[in-house]
Amino acid sequence: MNFFFEVLIGGLLSGVMYALVAIGFVLIYKASGVFNFAQGAMVFFAALTCVGLMDKFGMSLWLAIPCTMVAMIVLGFAIERVVLRPLVNQPEITLFMATIGLAFFLEGLAQLLWGSQVHQLPLPIEDVPMQSLLDRFNIVVSQFDVIAALICGVLVAALALLFAKTKVGRALRAVADDHQAALAVGIPLQRIWAILWAVAGVVALVAGLLWGARNGVQFALTFIALKALPVLILGGFTSVPGAIVGGLIIGASEKLAEVYIGPLVGGGIEGWFPYVLALLFLLVRPEGLFGEKIIRRI
């Protein structure tokens, strides 16, 4: 039984990190209706910029992180001004294609500026078993995973406070509910979009630092976005709580499936099991657990 809980806890902690990537998608989709294909590239760009500042300019980690955060905020404002603003009132497929182009541009720019080799990101968090859990319950849980989950939890709580308690948050929710009504009451739509892209950039930075410290800062970070897709399908594309719940379900189910079902079918199902689960769920509830059901009258 201890082994079951060990696998379950490890999966849930991984799921929190999946949820963090998914939240970056939700922020943009909820306010603008655009599926941001470039979110994975933003994660890669942020992590590589942080490491590049340390390697090329000799910055410490604690100086490189705020500098990268400023760079991601500037990038968010630039994306809104240069890419999205000229495409206002264009079809959604046009905006989606624009984010695809943006993804390739960011991937190329990051490697042009900082190189394409694999970098180590030395966060001061050791990837060792938590001794207290090992001694008391005989369960091996990574200290890195626990601290990473706590960091993700703090960021999600900060976003929740931003949406619920601030003037900017109320404007964000108004824009998400109805663009035209928000404009009618004087909310500057384009400024809100710019803020959202900047926040998505900060979320990408945190995700990039955590995943980069775990797997190394390399081009494969761009594929983290694919891990967020089943999370979004389960939780719903417009719900931050849905992204969290979806991340926990995907993280736990893929680990349990790999351990208990994998040996029956030859193993290696962790990579595709979440997509099968998401596909089955899509057939039952297309809008996701927390998504809004859209009814169109003809």
Side-chain angles (χ1 to χ4, degrees), residues 149-172:
L150 289 175
I151 293 172
C152 296
V154 170
L155 181 62
V156 170
L159 289 175
L161 287 175
L162 172 69
F163 280 115
K165 301 295 183 183
T166 67
K167 185 177 179 181
V168 171
R170 288 192 290 273
L172 290 174

Side-chain angles (χ1 to χ4, degrees), residues 254 256-273:
E254 72 172 12
L256 291 172
E258 178 64 36
V259 171
Y260 291 103
I261 302 176
L264 303 177
V265 295
I269 69 171
E270 185 177 351
W272 53 263
F273 183 81

Side-chain angles (χ1 to χ4, degrees), residues 120-142:
Q120 296 298 317
L121 183 54
L123 290 185
I125 310 172
E126 294 186 20
D127 190 10
V128 296
M130 291 196 70
Q131 199 61 43
S132 57
L133 290 176
L134 186 59
D135 294 339
R136 182 171 299 181
F137 302 106
N138 195 27
I139 293 177
V140 178
V141 176
S142 168

Side-chain angles (χ1 to χ4, degrees), residues 74-111:
V74 172
L75 177 67
F77 279 88
I79 290 173
E80 190 282 326
R81 183 67 182 85
V82 177
V83 179
L84 296 181
R85 191 174 298 186
L87 297 177
V88 170
N89 295 327
Q90 296 299 315
E92 291 179 1
I93 186 63
T94 303
L95 295 168
F96 175 66
M97 295 303 293
T99 65
I100 292 178
L102 179 64
F104 285 107
F105 171 74
L106 290 178
E107 291 166 7
L109 179 63
Q111 295 177 88

Side-chain angles (χ1 to χ4, degrees), residues 130-256:
M130 291 196 70
Q131 199 61 43
S132 57
L133 290 176
L134 186 59
D135 294 339
R136 182 171 299 181
F137 302 106
N138 195 27
I139 293 177
V140 178
V141 176
S142 168
Q143 177 177 298
F144 180 92
D145 289 344
V146 173
I147 295 178
L150 289 175
I151 293 172
C152 296
V154 170
L155 181 62
V156 170
L159 289 175
L161 287 175
L162 172 69
F163 280 115
K165 301 295 183 183
T166 67
K167 185 177 179 181
V168 171
R170 288 192 290 273
L172 290 174
R173 282 184 287 152
V175 170
D177 289 339
D178 192 321
H179 291 177
Q180 296 302 323
L183 278 173
V185 297
I187 295 175
L189 197 59
Q190 292 166 341
R191 186 185 304 171
I192 296 301
W193 281 346
I195 293 173
L196 265 183
W197 276 89
V199 172
V202 174
V203 172
L205 169 62
V206 176
L209 292 177
L210 295 176
W211 282 102
R214 165 52 63 85
N215 300 328
V217 179
Q218 54 186 314
F219 187 77
L221 281 179
T222 59
F223 299 116
I224 288 176
L226 299 179
K227 275 287 188 182
L229 289 180
V231 174
L232 293 168
I233 292 173
L234 258 73
F237 279 75
T238 58
S239 172
V240 171
I244 298 169
V245 174
L248 294 175
I249 293 174
I250 290 296
S253 62
E254 72 172 12
K255 299 296 183 189
L256 291 172

